[in-house]
Amino acid sequence: IVEIIGPEGPRELPVREFYHPDGIANTRLEPGELVVAVRVPKPHPGTRAAFKKLRRRGAIHYPLLHMALLLRQDQSGALVALAPAVSALAARPNFVRGLDRFLGQVPDEDLVEQIAERCRRGSVPLTNLATDPEWRRGLVPVFIKRLLKRCLET
């Protein structure tokens, strides 16, 4: 939840609703408003998360691609939560959809490939950087595989 304060008083927005997809006014902040807090719920036991950032060189902060992954497995190893997010490809973070079909399955190489392909298909980059957008899109499955491996090994 994003907590906002402004001339009209306080208000809250879910993070998924905070960004505009148009790339011009990229947030839903009104004139004079300020974000004062972001509340993140405590994760369920067994939840694992990982983050990866691609940039041209370490001294420059501007990302070419961000990816984050949250996952949780049950006692048998089956996925009960799978939430990847892709950023720096578009005007707002992309919370990849269409992954519910993977829940209830125990991750193996084939499932990881399927998840990676779904994340690639669900990520469409803007052509707003000097780097080839299809090259950046092609890195989405590479990144998600690395994040899945990191989460599954911990």
Side-chain angles (χ1 to χ4, degrees):
I1 299 292
V2 179
E3 295 180 18
I4 300 166
I5 189 80
E8 303 298 317
R11 67 184 181 110
E12 297 180 347
L13 280 175
V15 171
R16 290 178 188 256
E17 296 174 18
F18 181 67
Y19 294 96
H20 278 292
D22 65 7
I24 296 168
N26 66 337
T27 69
R28 297 195 186 276
L29 287 175
E30 298 296 331
E33 287 187 325
L34 179 68
V35 173
V36 293
V38 177
R39 291 194 320 265
V40 179
K42 183 177 178 180
H44 294 280
T47 299
R48 293 182 296 283
F51 174 80
K52 189 151 181 61
K53 177 179 181 177
L54 174 68
R55 55 187 175 201
R56 288 185 189 267
R57 48 186 191 254
I60 295 179
H61 177 69
Y62 301 108
L64 300 173
L65 176 66
H66 281 158
M67 284 198 73
L69 174 68
L70 178 139
L71 73 76
R72 191 171 73 249
Q73 295 170 282
D74 66 16
Q75 300 228 350
S76 72
L79 294 171
V80 294
L82 179 64
V86 181
S87 185
L89 289 186
R92 66 178 175 180
N94 173 27
F95 299 97
V96 181
R97 296 185 175 131
L99 299 171
D100 287 349
R101 68 176 177 254
F102 303 121
L103 299 180
Q105 299 181 52
V106 176
D108 60 15
E109 253 183 70
D110 183 54
L111 190 67
V112 167
E113 288 293 332
Q114 290 177 51
I115 292 168
E117 177 57 19
R118 177 66 198 107
C119 289
R120 186 196 64 78
R121 282 195 327 263
S123 301
V124 181
L126 296 175
T127 57
N128 59 348
L129 294 174
T131 306
D132 177 22
E134 285 306 313
W135 176 79
R136 290 187 299 143
R137 184 182 193 200
L139 287 175
V140 169
V142 174
F143 272 34
I144 195 67
K145 287 178 198 177
R146 290 178 183 172
L147 295 174
L148 282 163
K149 181 178 180 183
R150 192 179 312 160
C151 287
L152 294 169
E153 288 178 348
T154 57

